[in-house]
Amino acid sequence: MSEVVKEKITAVDTVTCTIDGQQITVPRGTSVFDAAGQIGIVIPAFCNHAKLKPVGACRMCYVEIEKMPKLQVSCATMATDGMVVSTNSQQVREGRKAVIEFTLINHPLDCPTCDKGGECDLQDLTFDHGYDDSRFGFDKMRFIEEEKRDTFDDLKIGPEIVLNRNRCILCYKCVRANKEAFGEYDIGAFERGDLTEINATPGGEVSNPFSGNLVEICPVGALTNSDWRYKIRVWLTKTVPSICNFSGSGTNITFYKEDHKNFVYRVTSRCNDAIDDGWLSDITRYGYQIVNSESRLKTPLIKKGGKQVKASWDEALAVIKKHMGQIKDQSGGVCIGGLISPSLDNASLYSFSKLFRTVFKSNNIDFRGDYRYLPSVTDSLFTIAASQPFSISDIEKSDVIITFGTDLIREHHNEYLKIRRAVNFYNSTVYSVNPYAVKTADIAKSEMVYSPGTDELVINGICLVAIEKKLVNSSAAAKLKSKISKLSPGVLAKLTGLSKEQFEELAEAISSAKKVTFIVGEIVARSLDRDKICAALSNLNKLFGVQDKGQLAVLSRYANSKGAQKLGLSATPYEIVKDELKKIWGEYPDCQPRNTDAMINLMKKEEIKGFITVGANPMRLYPDRSFASEGLEHVDFLVACDMFETETTELADVVLPLCSWAEYDGDYINLEGKVQTGKQAIKPKYESKAAFEIMELIARQLGAKLFENEQVKNEEIEKLLKLDSVLPWPDDFLKIEYEKKSSQDGYPVPLFICDDPHHSGHLTEKSPSLLNFSDSAYVELSKGLAAKIGVADGDPLRVESPVGKIVVPAKISPVLNSDVAIIPRNFSSTQTTSLLMRKKRVDSVKLTRVEE
Amino acid sequence: MILSEKTVKKIREKASKYPKRKGAILPSLTLAYKQLGYVDNEIYIEISEVINVPQLEIAEAASFYTMFPKKPRGKYLLQVCNNISCALLGADAMVDRLEEKLAIKRGETTDDGLFTLISVECLGSCCTAPMIQINDDFHENLTREKLDKLLESLKNGK
Ligand code: SF4
Ligand code: FES
Ligand code: FES
């Protein structure tokens, strides 16, 4: 059924028609094409796409409909009552033949040299439905661009995309997807008639964060990408279903691999309507290249005379045994700590926890190496907010969507696209409420940019105005009012930089909504005052009954953050998790729990002497580099497991090569709490091992054993996953203290360090394709701020904070409209986190032009 | 800005009348064309900023319409009809004559920026073929002499 209408129709509103003699009843608004699909009749098509509005451009989907004199395109004809359709009559077959013949008039028929061969819709449908000859003898119209010409008339139109206009059949899927689904305007259709061509916007290139999808949906070889083209023929590869490792939503993907070379050739979508609609971000599509990277750690390394040298696993494990054993025996396991990446699978996370808690008998573990001042109690408000249920597919069912403290295109690609879809297809209303202008705002009814660091005041403002306007239940209103009315809405408006009317608009939107989605993101999660903000959110939730008619949650950012939480990977797991662990293990360390911050502090005091990182790179990602490095440099014995050499492995005494997620079967829990399996595509490269294996090896070195066998491990994990992991909000409204903002004297520009839209974390810089989009740090700023400083796009800028200084090129943002600086954290060439001070709520910098 | 303040103002006025911003693309292009006699990518970017529609959508629309010239043209646009009636009555000879006198080919502009020569399809004046449209005016029932005279008077600025 056409997605456009799915929601609008009720069960009663159906039509019954007959297709090829079979009766079928479908909701009104269903296309003949989709109705046929429901009874297993596949109509050939080029331009139809399940997630886009029909355009009827290619005419391939012709059917014959009784009482209609001519053939009709089934994709753009809606089924009606009593309609009698035949999809395979003589007339239809002739019509199809004619369409193919017409489509091929100017097509070069260069299949042998075309990379799409073997998976080309045109090739397949011509074979099935075409003539084997053409009546058009004249020369084919041919696009050649002499100067830019590569080979075979290929034209590079973006960092990854190669266009061959001669092969294009003008189905417009690329342009439609780009505009309709992604809201991007960097590829278009120009001219008309036989001169019509697809091309990049004049003067530009196709480089949006979803551009890889255009290649995947092109039915012919007109759009190909440098990642895959001419490397292997598709029929020589095998496919393996997996899950994206770079996002919290668990995008479904397919690996294409070749066994002899033990190589992954590409990633394509594996459409899951509930999560991704079959669209991949470029990070998901090209990020897999890190698996094949030549620069992966190939063997264990051990430090000898101050230098890391290659070693065998046995040697490395012996060193670990010696040192960790020593620390454990002499100082106690509490002097050992560890940090693991929340992108690893359940088995790895759980093994890590079990190693620490049962072998070292230490509670020094965490999975959040890139957040500062994490809560040190189990039921902090932030932990509660992050545990709330969330459903990605409910986004499009919500009439009101609020994004708060989240720059979705840098954090959650799927949700970003779902919101666009909600607006374009279901008329949802979006409000974007953030400390800087974000990309999502182009579809928002209102964009509200509040001053950085005033997040909870915005929420208070909304609540107070709702009370004032009597939009909410009066007894609740009275209770809350006594807690937060110290500052009036007028004052709050002033402090936040918003207006009372804006508070009102939001209050009205939430209270009148039938179904709300309230998304809270990384800007809140990374804030020192996340608990305070979440307290305000708790109030708002209670006051408006948001969750009674929708959803409100802090979305988890990484591939298995939810799994880490459920399996008790924080120093302070949920009580029920702790109880279950006690039951399973028959023990649980009773020493102080230490989260990332506490551990680093203890390293400085030399109370943590041994440390293990698994896939985590605190040296790059912890938001205060000097704090992290002071700690890690003090550690007596550091073991670092990673796929690559990183800032953290550099400091390590033993480095162990880690498998990528493509090299073993693993379970991941997405931000909705859905468990999904990523299947093994290839054998572990070089000498790398999966984290769960490494944990077991370390345990055995120390004379212990984590699991008797795999089944035991799985059963233990199963028990934990069964527990309800949603924490209840506090019963009462909460008081929210207001602290005056510390002044930013001398450092006037608020700074946000986050992911580039084409990168995620510290690994993606090893993907050559992603580097083609973005390969080094920059400081993104608004046109206005750039003018004030006197820099143009690309000019070097000195970025100084009280603790650090970097020089990076200026990048003028088409979106930003206030004085903020945004710097990506994804490139090892620039230590951006050295600008951050962990004790500051809002980091800020001074920007000056570098004189030549 | 290449667009004059006056044009920008007019574009804004027009744009405010459309319920969807995209609706203002063609009127904006027309106004730009009226000022400049052509449109090109720089103009698309300027219009895009004025009416807040992506540059791409403006570029796509402009490229579709062949009647928006994409390069600056001469002061006089010589549009020789070469459709059937005019062709039968000697349109080709007219074009040849103009090419010879102006020393340019079809589609080109003279170095002094005075004339651009193009051939066009039927202008709806078949009964007075052969004919030429110069800017907004028709000149009909042409002969070689008439054409030479016409050219002279334009050169002399009349
Ligand atoms: S490039 Fe491919 S997707 Fe785009 S219009 Fe042409 S055939 Fe369709
Ligand atoms: S699929 Fe129906 S017209 Fe293209
Ligand atoms: S053919 Fe020349 S005006 Fe019609």
Side-chain angles (χ1 to χ4, degrees):
Chain A
M1 178 192 356
S2 152
E3 293 281 331
V4 192
V5 286
K6 197 170 3 182
E7 272 307 295
K8 293 196 186 132
I9 35 179
T10 57
V12 235
D13 197 5
T14 57
V15 296
T16 302
C17 59
T18 310
I19 303 177
D20 292 350
Q22 293 185 59
Q23 271 216 346
I24 174 168
T25 302
V26 290
R28 185 179 302 282
T30 305
S31 69
V32 173
F33 184 94
D34 287 335
Q38 283 181 28
I39 44 176
I41 298 171
V42 182
I43 300 174
F46 291 118
C47 71
N48 193 40
H49 189 283
K51 301 290 166 183
L52 301 174
K53 297 174 183 163
V55 291
C58 73
R59 320 309 282 179
M60 189 61 201
C61 64
Y62 273 152
V63 292
E64 199 179 335
I65 298 176
E66 264 181 26
K67 302 201 185 95
M68 291 197 180
K70 288 185 184 173
L71 294 174
Q72 301 294 317
V73 282
S74 57
C75 68
T77 307
M78 299 307 139
T80 57
D81 259 328
M83 192 182 245
V84 180
V85 180
S86 60
T87 72
N88 203 16
S89 65
Q90 178 64 24
Q91 203 194 348
V92 169
R93 286 197 300 271
E94 266 167 29
R96 274 178 202 153
K97 272 198 171 48
V99 169
I100 292 276
E101 191 181 18
F102 178 77
T103 307
L104 292 179
I105 291 179
N106 283 319
H107 188 86
L109 296 171
D110 57 346
C111 304
T113 59
C114 174
D115 200 49
K116 194 80 174 189
E119 52 173 355
C120 174
D121 291 351
L122 184 59
Q123 200 177 40
D124 294 347
L125 295 185
T126 300
F127 193 76
D128 289 347
H129 305 283
Y131 288 112
D132 38 19
D133 199 2
S134 170
R135 288 170 292 172
F136 297 94
F138 49 76
D139 282 351
K140 289 176 189 263
M141 148 82 203
R142 185 169 170 207
F143 289 98
I144 309 178
E145 197 121 353
E146 284 301 342
E147 297 137 60
K148 286 191 249 166
R149 186 159 159 229
D150 193 355
T151 43
F152 303 110
D153 303 342
D154 288 347
L155 196 61
K156 199 163 176 227
I157 56 167
E160 274 300 306
I161 300 188
V162 179
L163 165 73
N164 182 318
R165 288 164 295 177
N166 298 321
R167 293 186 193 134
C168 171
I169 60 166
L170 297 174
C171 69
Y172 301 110
K173 269 201 281 197
C174 52
V175 180
R176 287 152 60 208
N178 216 42
K179 292 183 186 176
E180 240 174 84
F182 317 143
E184 297 289 343
Y185 292 85
D186 50 12
I187 190 169
F190 302 92
E191 303 292 332
R192 60 173 167 183
D194 63 346
L195 295 177
T196 310
E197 60 168 313
I198 298 299
N199 215 328
T201 305
E205 51 171 21
V206 187
S207 60
N208 72 70
F210 306 99
S211 59
N213 292 302
L214 312 182
V215 173
E216 189 179 323
I217 61 173
C218 179
V220 297
L223 295 174
T224 48
N225 59 9
S226 5
D227 170 40
W228 159 271
R229 69 198 310 256
Y230 299 137
K231 298 210 170 107
I232 194 165
R233 281 299 196 179
V234 65
W235 56 85
L236 300 174
T237 58
K238 285 194 201 126
T239 59
V240 178
S242 187
I243 304 295
C244 171
N245 202 237
F246 302 105
S247 76
S249 9
T251 313
N252 290 197
I253 60 171
T254 305
F255 283 122
Y256 284 67
K257 56 132 178 192
E258 201 279 329
D259 286 334
H260 299 295
K261 292 211 177 93
N262 198 39
F263 198 85
V264 182
Y265 279 89
R266 74 171 170 191
V267 159
T268 63
S269 68
R270 183 161 60 85
C271 183
N272 181 338
D273 283 352
I275 296 178
D276 51 49
D277 286 322
W279 304 125
L280 304 187
S281 72
D282 284 352
I283 300 173
T284 305
R285 184 177 307 273
Y286 301 125
Y288 84 89
Q289 291 174 358
I290 66 171
V291 174
N292 300 323
S293 173
E294 272 301 313
S295 61
R296 275 185 63 173
L297 275 167
K298 300 189 173 71
T299 66
L301 307 172
I302 49 185
K303 209 180 242 168
K304 273 193 184 149
K307 261 177 89 186
Q308 289 175 348
V309 295
K310 282 192 178 155
S312 69
W313 272 95
D314 286 343
E315 286 170 297
L317 288 167
V319 177
I320 294 174
K321 174 181 182 173
K322 181 171 157 222
H323 286 90
M324 285 298 181
Q326 231 165 43
I327 297 174
K328 187 172 165 253
D329 296 341
Q330 289 169 7
S331 321
V334 284
C335 294
I336 301 174
L339 188 60
I340 190 163
S341 154
S343 301
L344 293 171
D345 60 301
N346 284 346
S348 295
L349 293 173
Y350 181 64
S351 304
F352 183 81
S353 155
K354 193 165 183 186
L355 172 72
F356 274 82
R357 289 181 168 133
T358 66
V359 181
F360 298 141
K361 314 218 183 290
S362 155
N363 249 332
N364 307 331
I365 62 168
D366 212 330
F367 62 97
R368 300 163 297 189
D370 53 351
Y371 300 92
R372 48 190 157 180
Y373 276 103
L374 281 162
S376 51
V377 290
T378 313
D379 50 356
S380 80
L381 283 155
F382 172 69
T383 318
I384 294 173
S387 79
Q388 297 308 308
F390 190 84
S391 148
I392 299 173
S393 57
D394 276 0
I395 294 177
E396 56 195 32
K397 298 187 190 126
S398 306
D399 52 331
V400 170
I401 301 167
I402 295 171
T403 65
F404 177 71
T406 178
D407 188 349
L408 283 177
I409 205 167
R410 298 166 190 277
E411 298 169 11
H412 296 287
H413 287 107
N414 293 320
E415 292 66 18
Y416 174 83
L417 295 185
K418 278 281 184 200
I419 290 182
R420 302 202 84 88
R421 188 171 174 76
V423 173
N424 289 340
F425 287 78
Y426 305 109
N427 294 323
S428 307
T429 311
V430 176
Y431 297 88
S432 156
V433 190
N434 291 293
Y436 57 83
V438 296
K439 189 84 196 276
T440 331
D442 66 329
I443 44 159
K445 170 135 186 269
S446 296
E447 158 152 70
M448 307 185 190
V449 177
Y450 58 83
S451 3
T454 64
D455 322 63
E456 70 279 12
L457 302 182
V458 174
I459 303 294
N460 284 356
I462 302 171
C463 294
L464 281 180
V465 168
I467 296 172
E468 217 179 83
K469 293 246 134 191
K470 301 205 169 34
L471 296 172
V472 287
N473 172 296
S474 59
S475 77
K479 276 190 212 141
L480 176 57
K481 205 168 168 197
S482 66
K483 306 261 174 146
I484 58 166
S485 60
K486 232 169 158 180
L487 301 176
S488 71
V491 175
L492 289 172
K494 211 155 161 211
L495 288 170
T496 56
L498 297 181
S499 66
K500 234 183 115 178
E501 289 69 43
Q502 285 175 309
F503 290 151
E504 228 172 272
E505 195 183 344
L506 288 169
E508 254 151 32
I510 303 173
S511 70
S512 64
K514 285 194 205 70
K515 196 171 168 75
V516 195
T517 287
F518 197 112
I519 295 181
V520 186
E522 287 297 281
I523 298 173
V524 170
R526 293 209 179 113
S527 167
L528 293 190
D529 279 331
R530 52 175 90 70
D531 273 337
K532 201 187 258 180
I533 307 170
C534 292
L537 288 169
S538 169
N539 289 344
L540 174 120
N541 183 38
K542 215 172 281 302
L543 185 69
F544 288 93
V546 175
Q547 282 181 320
D548 301 335
K549 56 172 183 179
Q551 46 185 356
L552 180 155
V554 179
L555 300 191
S556 34
R557 170 70 184 83
Y558 298 101
N560 205 13
S561 309
K562 264 270 141 78
Q565 203 57 266
K566 283 190 160 212
L567 295 169
L569 263 287
S570 71
T572 49
Y574 303 156
E575 284 305 324
I576 41 167
V577 174
K578 207 153 110 185
D579 292 343
E580 186 68 35
L581 287 174
K582 259 183 223 167
K583 246 197 278 167
I584 301 174
W585 297 337
E587 61 173 317
Y588 189 88
D590 52 13
C591 53
Q592 272 278 339
R594 316 274 193 199
N595 61 20
T596 309
D597 298 274
M599 286 193 282
I600 300 177
N601 259 324
L602 289 181
M603 290 176 198
K604 286 210 266 189
K605 293 189 196 146
E606 297 183 10
E607 280 172 37
I608 282 192
K609 299 177 195 299
F611 200 68
I612 305 180
T613 63
V614 184
N617 184 4
M619 284 293 284
R620 165 95 68 84
L621 300 179
Y622 185 83
D624 185 333
R625 182 165 155 95
S626 66
F627 177 71
S629 78
E630 251 179 82
L632 285 159
E633 276 159 14
H634 270 94
V635 172
D636 284 345
F637 186 66
L638 177 64
V639 179
C641 317
D642 207 303
M643 287 173 64
F644 298 94
E645 283 184 73
T646 68
E647 296 86 341
T648 304
T649 67
E650 249 170 51
L651 301 174
D653 300 279
V654 177
V655 180
L656 301 174
L658 200 60
C659 278
S660 71
W661 84 109
E663 292 158 316
Y664 60 92
D665 289 353
D667 285 348
Y668 303 84
I669 306 183
N670 80 349
L671 56 81
E672 307 171 289
K674 202 177 274 162
V675 185
Q676 304 188 99
T677 304
K679 281 284 183 197
Q680 173 177 20
I682 56 169
K683 293 195 286 292
K685 289 236 177 197
Y686 314 111
E687 291 180 31
S688 63
K689 288 188 195 301
F692 60 83
E693 266 179 279
I694 300 178
M695 297 306 117
E696 183 73 68
L697 286 171
I698 295 178
R700 299 212 175 183
Q701 286 293 321
L702 297 169
K705 193 188 274 175
L706 294 184
F707 308 102
E708 213 44 68
N709 55 44
E710 200 165 325
Q711 200 190 337
V712 174
K713 179 173 67 192
N714 293 341
E715 280 167 11
E716 291 183 14
I717 292 176
E718 221 27 67
K719 281 187 192 147
L720 291 166
L721 296 189
K722 271 201 202 113
L723 304 175
D724 178 16
S725 58
V726 177
L727 301 181
W729 293 101
D731 288 330
D732 287 326
F733 285 111
L734 304 164
K735 212 176 166 85
I736 291 149
E737 299 297 339
Y738 167 67
E739 276 165 57
K740 244 185 115 189
K741 253 206 302 185
S742 54
S743 77
Q744 319 273 15
D745 273 351
Y747 301 93
V749 183
L751 167 70
F752 291 90
I753 298 235
C754 40
D755 284 326
D756 179 277
H758 268 103
H759 288 276
S760 172
H762 75 280
L763 292 175
T764 53
E765 66 170 332
K766 306 291 180 188
S767 155
S769 288
L770 292 178
L771 285 185
N772 287 340
F773 289 95
S774 176
D775 65 357
S776 54
Y778 49 81
V779 50
E780 201 169 332
L781 67 177
S782 70
K783 218 168 158 183
L785 182 57
K788 255 191 261 173
I789 304 166
V791 286
D793 203 59
D795 287 355
L797 254 183
R798 187 180 299 109
V799 185
E800 268 171 284
S801 80
V803 290
K805 182 172 87 180
I806 58 172
V807 175
V808 283
K811 182 170 166 189
I812 296 182
S813 157
V815 176
L816 292 178
N817 56 15
S818 59
D819 287 2
V820 292
I822 296 180
I823 303 182
R825 58 180 189 160
N826 314 92
F827 308 102
S828 53
S829 47
T830 312
Q831 296 301 346
T832 49
T833 47
S834 66
L835 296 168
L836 300 177
M837 291 162 80
R838 74 187 196 105
K839 292 190 176 158
K840 275 206 144 182
R841 166 125 184 213
V842 180
D843 282 288
S844 58
V845 288
K846 176 164 84 188
L847 302 172
T848 39
R849 218 168 73 147
V850 179
E851 303 296 340
E852 305 287 324
Chain B
M1 278 297 253
I2 300 168
L3 293 176
S4 67
E5 251 169 64
K6 217 167 113 201
T7 308
V8 170
K9 205 175 135 227
K10 278 197 207 146
I11 292 180
R12 286 226 169 84
E13 266 165 31
K14 269 264 184 284
S16 69
K17 300 207 169 78
Y18 291 87
K20 287 215 169 112
R21 293 197 303 267
K22 260 171 94 168
I25 294 177
L26 284 180
S28 307
L29 282 166
T30 311
L31 286 164
Y33 163 68
K34 282 212 174 121
Q35 180 200 327
L36 299 160
Y38 72 98
V39 292
D40 68 4
N41 196 34
E42 277 177 84
I43 306 297
Y44 308 152
I45 295 173
E46 288 188 6
I47 294 177
S48 136
E49 274 163 19
V50 178
I51 63 173
N52 195 13
V53 166
Q55 170 206 355
L56 171 72
E57 306 230 280
I58 298 166
E60 284 178 312
S63 78
F64 185 87
Y65 291 97
T66 48
M67 284 165 99
F68 287 125
K70 309 299 174 335
K71 275 194 294 230
R73 295 204 295 207
K75 185 169 170 207
Y76 299 107
L77 178 62
L78 311 179
Q79 305 162 71
V80 186
C81 169
N82 66 355
N83 214 304
I84 188 81
S85 307
C86 293
L88 289 172
L89 288 165
D92 276 352
M94 296 292 145
V95 175
D96 288 348
R97 181 68 181 163
L98 287 169
E99 284 188 342
E100 182 195 320
K101 286 224 109 180
L102 299 170
I104 52 172
K105 290 253 166 293
R106 258 179 245 222
E108 292 177 352
T109 301
T110 53
D111 288 341
D112 59 6
L114 221 44
F115 297 102
T116 297
L117 172 64
I118 56 172
S119 56
V120 297
E121 299 310 323
C122 179
L123 288 167
S125 188
C126 311
C127 51
T128 55
M131 59 83 63
I132 182 172
Q133 181 181 341
I134 303 181
N135 293 352
D136 291 335
D137 301 323
F138 277 12
H139 300 270
E140 302 159 304
N141 292 321
L142 289 181
T143 59
R144 188 171 162 136
E145 291 68 41
K146 257 190 167 169
L147 193 63
D148 286 353
K149 244 201 230 146
L150 201 54
L151 217 50
E152 274 321 301
S153 67
L154 292 175
K155 268 190 191 155
N156 299 330
K158 279 179 212 148

